[in-house]
Each structure stands twice: as C-alpha cells, then as structure tokens.
Amino acid sequence: MSQNIVIVIQARSGSTRLPRKVLKPLAGKTVLYHMVKRVERARLASHVVVATTTDPGDDIIESLCRDNGFECFRGNETDLLDRHYRAGIKYNADVVVKIPSDCPLIDPQIIDRVLRYHLDNCGRFDYVSNLHPPTYPDGNDVEVMPMQVLETAWREAEKEFEREHTTPFIWNNPERFRIGNVTWETGLDFSNILRWVLDYEEDYQFIRTVYEELYPVNPFFGFDDVLHLLSIRPEIRGLNNMYRGMNWYGQYEHELKAVALS
C-alpha cells in the first residue's frame, strides 16, 4: 500500500543568528525558493509543504509560497514539534519528513535514498534519518517518521528542546523507538569536515559562491558537483570553515544520550 509521504520544510524569517536568511537572494531568487525547488525533485515524496509561523513577520513567507505555487502551513512559532504534527494532520500524512529550510544545497537523491530505506524497511523502524550518526556534509538533513510516532512525541515531549527541535524525543529514547540510519555510501564521514548549512553570514557567502559557480551550468546541480567544485576550488570551502562541526546539540549534551552525539 502506498504511503502519503509529506515533506515539511520549516521556515521563518526571524532566525536569530542570520535574520531573514531564507529570504536572502540566491541566483536571482530567494534561498527558500531554491530550497523548495530542489526538495520537490525527490521522487518518493507525495507532497512538499513549507511550514512557517503565525507571526505577522512571516506573512512574507506565505506570500512567497502563494506566488510560486508552494503549499504553505502556518503554526506555532517556537514549538516545531507542534507545527510538524499539525502540518501532517492537515495534509493527511502517513509519514512526515522533516527537512530544515537552511539546507539549500540538499540533493534530492539523498532525500530519496533515506526515503527508500524507510520504505524498504517498513515496520522495522520508528524513525529513519541520515543524522544518527551523520556522515554526509552538514546541510543534507533528512528525518523520516510515521505519523503515529510523531503523534506520540507530540503528546509526551515536555522539554523545551524536544518541542523546539521536533525529533529529539524520538531519537533520544532508543529504548522506546527503533532508530534507523542511512550513511554515506562511500563509507566516508564528512559531517564535521564540510558545512553546507545556512546559519551565519559566512555560510551564506559559501552557499552563494557555490550557486554562482554551478547554477548557470545546471540549475539542479547535485551533491557530486559540489564536491568536485570544492576539490578544484578549495578556497570556497574555507569561507565558512570556522563553523565546522557546530550544531545545536552542544548546549544540551548533558541531557542527550549517546545516539545523538555518536
């Protein structure tokens, strides 16, 4: 039986480290526009939805979605778990896929690879991602969970970081939930070596430079194209080297179990 797989891209304009980062210009459009267009190329997903907040400051994100024909859901500003759950309800999801909006270099083939693993192991895992442990360059995050698992987290998660980051209640309780992971097929681990995520101005400089080099040749350049570019232009990867290996886990190390940090 086919599953209604809904990819939810959480996006807001009020990011603290780099305000309005999803609205920054990129190859003549916005970061969010390119992000959605790349995710839409994942073949195994049924729907792609941008989930923003009800804050009036995010009206511009809803307008961007309307102007470009993107599905848009509006929900809680700080409780991402609630926003993902209610988006899943609205779109009658069997499976919700969490992808953050700060990954504008994500390759749809990686999304499909994680989804394929979930589908081929249906009933074996409660949660599948490529993050526990990560091996791909930071900025290729894909998390897949059946709706009933997301509902359990939505009902029971109480800690602030569990609500803010949607999935920690699941992957931080491996004794309750069966955790599956997809690693980079090369066997390499570049998760702390290459940073393709958008959090700081230097990240934006890196991502903008990659787009300037690759987008004119192929608007849907892939993962291997970026790796090749960085191999022949190492100065580009140096643009945001100072933030390699940084993520939100660090401030909650005392509350997280080994599965999150391995």
Side-chain angles (χ1 to χ4, degrees):
M1 184 176 69
S2 63
Q3 301 182 25
N4 183 23
I5 299 175
V6 178
I7 296 180
V8 178
I9 302 173
Q10 73 265 21
R12 64 189 178 101
S13 62
S15 50
T16 54
R17 285 169 294 198
L18 187 60
R20 297 171 69 87
K21 62 182 181 182
V22 300
L23 301 173
K24 281 188 166 294
L26 196 63
K29 299 287 186 178
T30 63
V31 167
L32 183 58
Y33 173 88
H34 289 294
M35 176 82 204
V36 176
K37 284 297 186 184
R38 293 177 76 83
V39 173
E40 282 182 337
R41 293 174 69 83
R43 295 180 298 105
L44 298 179
S46 310
H47 300 283
V48 177
V49 179
V50 175
T52 190
T53 83
T54 54
D55 186 284
D58 286 328
D59 289 353
I60 190 172
I61 291 180
E62 184 176 28
S63 296
L64 185 154
C65 291
R66 184 172 55 248
D67 292 346
N68 291 284
F70 302 156
E71 294 285 348
C72 183
F73 174 84
R74 300 190 72 162
N76 196 292
E77 183 175 4
T78 56
D79 188 342
L80 267 291
L81 178 52
D82 183 77
R83 205 190 311 168
H84 278 92
Y85 173 70
R86 294 187 187 281
I89 291 292
K90 177 178 178 180
Y91 289 92
N92 196 30
D94 297 311
V95 174
V96 168
V97 183
K98 176 181 181 290
I99 298 181
S101 60
D102 52 12
C103 301
L105 295 175
I106 196 166
D107 189 324
Q109 291 191 36
I110 294 176
I111 300 172
D112 276 335
R113 188 159 182 261
V114 180
L115 283 174
R116 173 49 60 197
Y117 189 79
H118 159 77
L119 292 169
D120 288 348
N121 292 278
C122 192
R124 181 181 172 197
F125 296 115
D126 299 311
Y127 166 92
V128 170
S129 78
N130 58 356
L131 296 174
H132 302 288
T135 52
Y136 289 98
D138 188 10
N140 290 278
D141 307 3
V142 184
E143 299 176 86
V144 182
M145 67 218 88
M147 194 64 194
Q148 61 268 31
V149 174
L150 181 60
E151 181 174 2
T152 299
W154 177 75
R155 290 186 184 282
E156 299 184 22
E158 295 179 346
K159 297 176 181 176
E160 182 179 342
F161 74 89
E162 292 175 336
R163 309 299 307 191
E164 180 182 354
H165 297 283
T166 303
T167 57
F169 182 82
I170 302 171
W171 50 256
N172 203 36
N173 285 290
E175 71 282 359
R176 288 191 58 185
F177 301 103
R178 298 164 296 173
I179 309 300
N181 192 55
V182 175
T183 57
W184 189 7
E185 56 270 34
T186 60
L188 299 172
D189 178 3
F190 279 11
S191 60
N192 285 318
I193 296 175
L194 295 178
R195 178 182 170 86
W196 298 2
V197 67
L198 178 58
D199 275 329
Y200 300 97
E201 177 60 30
E202 291 84 354
D203 295 329
Y204 175 60
Q205 294 172 15
F206 166 78
I207 291 167
R208 184 181 60 188
T209 303
V210 171
Y211 265 79
E212 287 173 350
E213 294 293 327
L214 298 179
Y215 188 85
V217 178
N218 176 12
F220 295 107
F221 58 87
F223 181 82
D224 290 338
D225 297 317
V226 181
L227 287 178
H228 177 69
L229 174 66
L230 300 183
S231 71
I232 60 175
R233 296 280 306 279
E235 74 278 11
I236 296 176
R237 61 186 286 184
L239 290 171
N240 63 348
N241 255 353
M242 69 288 288
Y243 297 120
R244 284 185 309 168
M246 291 183 60
N247 58 51
W248 66 269
Y249 295 163
Q251 60 183 312
Y252 297 105
E253 280 189 34
H254 61 291
E255 296 186 72
L256 294 171
K257 300 171 184 174
V259 66
L261 304 170
S262 54

